[in-house]
Amino acid sequence: ISQSSLSQELIATKADSGLVILLKDNEVVAQINLIWEDSVSKEGNAQTSQIKRDMGTLLSPIYWMEVLPRIPLQDTVDVGNGIYTNKEGKEIRDHNANRGGYGVITAEQVIAFDSKVGITKLMERYGIPPARYSPLEVVEYYNRIAMGDTALCSGGVMRDIQSVLSKVIAEGTGRNLYREDLPIAGKTGYSEKNISACVYFSLGNSIYTCLVILSNPKEGFPSGGTMCGEVIKRIITGITNTVPNA
């Protein structure tokens, strides 16, 4: 299911490569890395999922574990027109910078709307350094959020994070994944030429967590919620068809 779902999206978007990691409860049940070469999708480096990299805005919930004890979700940040030069002199752009940006938004909306400028400004405000994670570490982190693991943070912060991740799918950049019959929570993301989405949901008696990354899609507007979301939707449909009473 995972391989065919990813392959279809590589063909549709003409992305350079794609990665899927699927967890069922705490176990990795699928780990697929494909590259697009000579108009054919082929298996890529099996170690890709373990290489640390800039995972971009997909890391927002991880940073939030540190930020939320210090600020309310309704605290605000001005992301202006979606273009910001950080303290290192690097230009940060939101995905909607060409449409004028979000202006003043709440900390909650920074996650829901996937504002890279917003998370950068809040990290600078509270002295949180950027980090690098491997894709496998990220999906395992989201899985722990899905499980409500309070070893990560207090119960109150965990509930806030889970609530915001539900709103990402219901109202934010993950709306393409919204289903009335299946509660889904998670986050879309982007960094440099990569777009991504990581979500979790319950089917049967199990919790599934799924991460999809597409690199340099060249067909259509790059969107983790739309492009990676299509891969996840196919995977969910495949699981639903195999899980009794799902």
Side-chain angles (χ1 to χ4, degrees):
I1 297 169
S2 298
Q3 182 155 343
S4 62
S5 300
L6 179 60
S7 181
Q8 286 181 57
E9 202 60 23
L10 283 183
I11 293 169
T13 64
K14 294 183 170 59
D16 290 345
S17 62
L19 174 71
V20 171
I21 306 176
L22 177 66
L23 272 61
K24 180 181 180 182
D25 298 321
N26 294 311
E27 180 183 354
V28 176
V29 293
Q31 190 167 295
I32 310 295
N33 182 43
L34 298 177
I35 58 174
W36 183 253
E37 191 173 87
D38 300 327
S39 300
V40 177
S41 62
K42 304 175 182 179
E43 290 190 14
N45 184 353
Q47 302 303 312
T48 297
S49 64
Q50 299 179 44
I51 299 173
K52 292 184 184 293
R53 62 174 81 176
D54 175 12
M55 297 293 292
T57 55
L58 207 60
L59 297 183
S60 297
I62 298 175
Y63 297 137
W64 240 238
M65 298 290 179
E66 296 188 50
V67 172
L68 279 180
R70 293 180 256 176
I71 66 170
L73 281 171
Q74 297 310 309
D75 195 8
T76 60
V77 58
D78 187 357
V79 302
N81 63 358
I83 303 173
Y84 172 67
T85 302
N86 69 11
K87 290 182 177 179
E88 285 71 44
K90 181 180 179 180
E91 183 179 272
I92 307 296
R93 297 180 67 92
D94 275 344
H95 60 89
N96 68 337
N98 63 334
R99 299 192 297 275
Y102 289 117
V104 178
I105 55 177
T106 65
E108 183 177 53
Q109 289 171 326
V110 166
I111 295 182
F113 297 162
D114 200 21
S115 172
K116 193 171 185 178
V117 171
I119 190 66
T120 299
K121 283 192 167 186
L122 287 171
M123 287 170 64
E124 289 181 348
R125 184 188 299 176
Y126 294 99
I128 299 172
R132 297 173 74 85
Y133 287 78
S134 72
L136 185 58
E137 287 174 320
V138 169
V139 72
E140 288 174 341
Y141 208 104
Y142 275 79
N143 187 62
R144 293 176 69 182
I145 295 173
M147 298 286 188
D149 184 356
T150 52
L152 294 174
C153 59
S154 71
V157 169
M158 178 61 72
R159 287 189 293 274
D160 284 342
I161 290 288
Q162 290 174 330
S163 173
V164 172
L165 295 181
S166 293
K167 289 182 179 179
V168 170
I169 305 301
E171 306 169 10
T173 52
R175 288 188 303 274
N176 181 48
L177 283 157
Y178 178 75
R179 286 175 52 161
E180 289 188 1
D181 63 330
L182 178 65
I184 301 172
K187 181 78 178 65
T188 65
Y190 62 98
S191 62
E192 301 298 334
K193 295 183 178 181
N194 293 329
I195 56 172
S196 55
C198 191
V199 306
Y200 56 85
F201 52 92
S202 296
L203 277 174
N205 295 316
S206 293
I207 294 176
Y208 294 84
T209 307
C210 185
L211 168 66
V212 176
I213 302 173
L214 293 174
S215 297
N216 195 27
K218 293 175 282 295
E219 193 73 31
F221 181 80
S223 165
T226 301
M227 293 177 173
C228 298
E230 286 302 310
V231 179
I232 293 171
K233 284 163 67 174
R234 295 186 194 108
I235 291 172
I236 291 175
T237 298
I239 295 171
T240 303
N241 291 338
T242 59
V243 175
N245 304 317

